[in-house]
Amino acid sequence: MKTQRVIKELADSDDLSSVVIEMCPKRWGSMEKSQPRGSPRRKLLDNEMQAAADLAKDNKVEIILGDRCIATILDRAGSMFKKTGRDLLSPIDGWPAIARDFGTFLKSKSSTATPKIGLLDFTDPLLIMGLPVSLMRYPLALFLKMPLRLLGLLGTLELLSTDVVVSGDPGSMNKFAAISAVLLFGQFLFTIALARTIIVVMLMERDEVLADAIRDACRKMDRDQEVVAVLGIAHCNGVARLLAEQPTTDSTSSTRSSNAKA
């Protein structure tokens, strides 16, 4: 794994101050408990974050769990979803608020403040070699963690894909068309609410929390060292942009962001 190589190089030269991981204490404790180091499950579901943490522990480097608490994330997600529902019913004030959130997100993605992860980054040999493993490992991890929910979801998708036979009676066909239109409109509104929740709560707000954690880690350094941040690919560009726009006051500090992958 690329992250392990970077951490080992910096730790061996005593240039590594800390490792920031995109996890909160609750999620991290649950992961460490369910797949501890050396366990068969850990070998099956090994991941960049635990591998980085193990190497940091071996080298007595501080580990910082920099993500927002999962309980706060879920609470904020529920609140944002409900708020979007209310905003959709308010064309004067609500619709502009929704548009502003989507606009802010798109503007942040078009920023040129710092280099971004682009298509060429996906040609990294280590990433390509790990892709087949990831494609098998992530669905397997979901199944092991929540088998009943995953089976329920698959069953629901199967029901939705089942063909519905409608009689040729014009009245029945009109009713079916009306119901289909209502369901389609409801799906459209649900998609807007879900997309806004993901963009604002799951991405932008967590980007800010992670960037603050990295800044705090950099401020703790008493000499020219580096901080390694192990993040999911969805957060790398956003966090890098926030750090470039508002870096730490210590001009000698530096941060490496590592995309977490299997």
Side-chain angles (χ1 to χ4, degrees), residues 135-211:
L135 292 176
M136 294 185 293
R137 182 173 284 165
Y138 288 132
L140 179 60
L142 285 174
F143 180 76
L144 292 176
K145 291 176 181 178
M146 48 183 74
L148 294 180
R149 293 182 186 179
L150 190 59
L151 289 175
L153 176 61
L154 293 175
T156 301
L157 293 175
E158 178 63 25
L159 288 174
L160 291 175
S161 64
T162 303
D163 294 333
V164 178
V165 179
V166 182
S167 66
D169 178 61
S172 299
M173 295 185 69
N174 290 336
K175 289 180 181 178
F176 180 76
I179 293 174
S180 297
V182 171
L183 291 176
L184 184 61
F185 184 65
Q187 185 178 26
F188 172 70
L189 297 180
F190 176 82
T191 301
I192 292 177
L194 182 62
R196 187 189 190 193
T197 300
I198 292 174
I199 286 172
V200 175
V201 179
M202 305 302 293
L203 293 178
M204 293 197 299
E205 290 183 358
R206 289 175 65 203
D207 284 351
E208 293 179 0
V209 173
L210 290 165

Side-chain angles (χ1 to χ4, degrees), residues 47-245:
N47 59 89
E48 196 97 357
M49 295 185 185
Q50 283 187 294
D54 289 343
L55 196 53
K57 291 176 186 176
D58 293 342
N59 288 275
K60 296 181 174 55
V61 172
E62 182 183 10
I63 300 171
I64 298 173
L65 303 177
D67 203 357
R68 171 179 271 180
C69 174
I70 184 61
T72 303
I73 293 174
L74 295 177
D75 183 63
R76 279 286 299 137
S79 298
M80 179 57 68
F81 194 87
K82 293 176 183 177
K83 182 180 185 304
T84 305
R86 294 191 298 269
D87 287 343
L88 286 168
L89 299 175
S90 175
I92 297 178
D93 297 322
W95 292 8
I98 295 174
R100 280 195 299 271
D101 284 338
F102 281 102
T104 300
F105 176 73
L106 292 175
K107 184 179 179 181
S108 69
K109 295 305 173 185
S110 63
S111 172
T112 57
T114 184
K116 302 178 181 180
I117 292 179
L119 292 177
L120 290 178
D121 294 296
F122 290 93
T123 62
D124 186 304
L126 291 177
L127 180 61
I128 294 174
M129 288 189 292
L131 184 59
V133 179
S134 298
L135 292 176
M136 294 185 293
R137 182 173 284 165
Y138 288 132
L140 179 60
L142 285 174
F143 180 76
L144 292 176
K145 291 176 181 178
M146 48 183 74
L148 294 180
R149 293 182 186 179
L150 190 59
L151 289 175
L153 176 61
L154 293 175
T156 301
L157 293 175
E158 178 63 25
L159 288 174
L160 291 175
S161 64
T162 303
D163 294 333
V164 178
V165 179
V166 182
S167 66
D169 178 61
S172 299
M173 295 185 69
N174 290 336
K175 289 180 181 178
F176 180 76
I179 293 174
S180 297
V182 171
L183 291 176
L184 184 61
F185 184 65
Q187 185 178 26
F188 172 70
L189 297 180
F190 176 82
T191 301
I192 292 177
L194 182 62
R196 187 189 190 193
T197 300
I198 292 174
I199 286 172
V200 175
V201 179
M202 305 302 293
L203 293 178
M204 293 197 299
E205 290 183 358
R206 289 175 65 203
D207 284 351
E208 293 179 0
V209 173
L210 290 165
D212 285 341
I214 294 171
R215 290 191 192 99
D216 289 341
C218 290
R219 293 188 186 102
K220 292 179 182 180
M221 298 187 302
D222 56 2
R223 60 188 183 86
D224 188 14
Q225 288 183 307
E226 293 192 44
V227 171
V228 172
V230 187
L231 310 174
I233 194 169
H235 293 287
C236 286
N237 286 344
V239 172
R241 176 183 59 83
L242 291 171
L243 292 175
E245 292 176 352

